[in-house]
Amino acid sequence: ILMSASAQIRRLAAPLFRRAIARSTALRFAAHGDRSLVLLYHRILPDDVPPDLIVSSVPVSLFRRQVEVLLESGDVVTLTDLIQSPGRGQRPRFALTFDDDHTGYVESALPVLQACRVPATFFLSGRGLHGLPPYWWTSVEFSLRTHGLDYTRTTLGVNAHTVSDIAVALEESGQAGQLVSRLPPVSGHVMTLADVQALARAGMTIGFHTLHHPLLTTQLGQALEEALSDGRFDLAKAAGTNVDFLAYPHGRANTAVAEAAEQAHYAAAFTAGGRPITSTSDRFLLDRWEPGRLEADEFAAQLAMRLLRPPTPARDKRHPRARQGVIATDLNH
């Protein structure tokens, strides 16, 4: 596979940013340049649990090491502080975010956040509040672990030969929910009211990830409005607080979706893409970076490199493609 020019540059530059002096210079530049970085996680798992098969997961001990690197490199703040307050200073600022209703957040992620005394935002769907089953990929992962690849793909009726192929086929079908209903039911994999309340009581921010997790760029008119609102009030009631931030499902949005999010009175909304943000970045197309399982040294190097990338642009300076189609996203989102 041919590597893009920017990817080649990053690969060649990586050894440089493993040096402390280069990282320190990059961090100072980012701080004085009003650059911040929002990080994204999907699952934090106990160290003795194997990686999930579809969704990116991070062992809890590695997650703690990454948080410690962030604290050494800059300040970890709330999304509200990151967006509303000017960021120029001696240290760059970071915000931690988590997507999806994963039951391990309370057991694995929250203790690390509390021990390190850092805030975070959890973008939840609130499926358990409505008696809905787990996300389709949770059911597929359970079937793969329990019954194997051949059984899972045959039962789903998809032409796929790998786990990745199954995930892509289901997402592209537009009927993942219906197809996954053919698999054996999964229990105990939905975040409960008590879980939502535990995060809120701990001082964590609760954001919205839509109730049914649709690809919003395929929704039009009233369907889009309903996707952005259906379940939001119930999640806010459960958390006992306003739900003002939105994370787009699959990390994807376009201008129409961003404008709909603004009209729905969100304070800001987030895609994937991995770029830093500044005080002038479009608040409804803000990038996030998912570091995955990078060990501490490599995480520190990649963190510095990310902060030097061109930031998320302002609304009037969006790339023309953003006006027509999907904003670029990380492949592993």
Side-chain angles (χ1 to χ4, degrees), residues 25-89:
T25 301
L27 293 172
R28 286 199 302 272
F29 172 83
H32 290 294
D34 184 29
R35 294 183 178 213
S36 303
L37 195 64
V38 182
L39 283 77
L40 163 63
Y41 294 90
H42 278 95
R43 293 180 182 176
I44 307 299
L45 301 178
D47 290 347
D48 58 353
V49 174
D52 285 320
L53 299 172
I54 296 177
V55 177
S56 174
S57 60
V58 177
V60 65
S61 61
L62 176 57
F63 172 60
R64 177 159 188 155
R65 291 196 294 274
Q66 291 181 349
V67 172
E68 290 170 347
V69 170
L70 289 177
L71 291 171
E72 293 170 0
S73 304
D75 299 320
V76 180
V77 301
T78 66
L79 280 185
T80 299
D81 287 342
L82 193 76
I83 293 169
Q84 292 185 352
S85 303
R88 290 183 175 85

Side-chain angles (χ1 to χ4, degrees), residues 126-251:
R127 296 177 67 84
L129 306 177
H130 299 265
L132 296 174
Y135 297 110
W136 64 259
W137 51 85
T138 301
S139 298
V140 174
E141 287 174 331
F142 180 81
S143 178
L144 288 166
R145 291 193 187 282
T146 306
H147 302 288
L149 180 64
D150 288 340
Y151 169 87
T152 302
R153 69 185 183 188
T154 300
T155 304
L156 290 171
V158 297
N159 183 19
H161 301 285
T162 67
V163 173
S164 295
D165 289 342
I166 290 176
V168 170
L170 287 171
E171 186 166 326
E172 291 181 348
S173 72
Q175 299 179 322
Q178 298 93 309
L179 294 174
V180 167
S181 65
R182 302 172 182 175
L183 298 174
V186 181
S187 60
H189 287 265
V190 177
M191 187 174 279
T192 65
L193 171 62
D195 293 329
V196 176
Q197 292 174 334
L199 294 174
R201 281 198 305 270
M204 302 299 148
T205 300
I206 304 300
F208 195 40
H209 199 39
T210 76
L211 181 59
H212 298 287
H213 205 274
L215 182 57
L216 294 177
T217 53
T218 65
Q219 308 294 304
L220 299 173
Q222 185 176 353
L224 176 58
E225 293 178 10
E226 291 177 352
L228 293 173
S229 62
D230 190 15
R232 180 183 179 186
F233 173 80
D234 301 286
L235 182 61
K237 183 178 179 181
T241 184
N242 291 336
V243 173
D244 296 326
F245 296 110
L246 172 71
Y248 299 117
H250 309 285

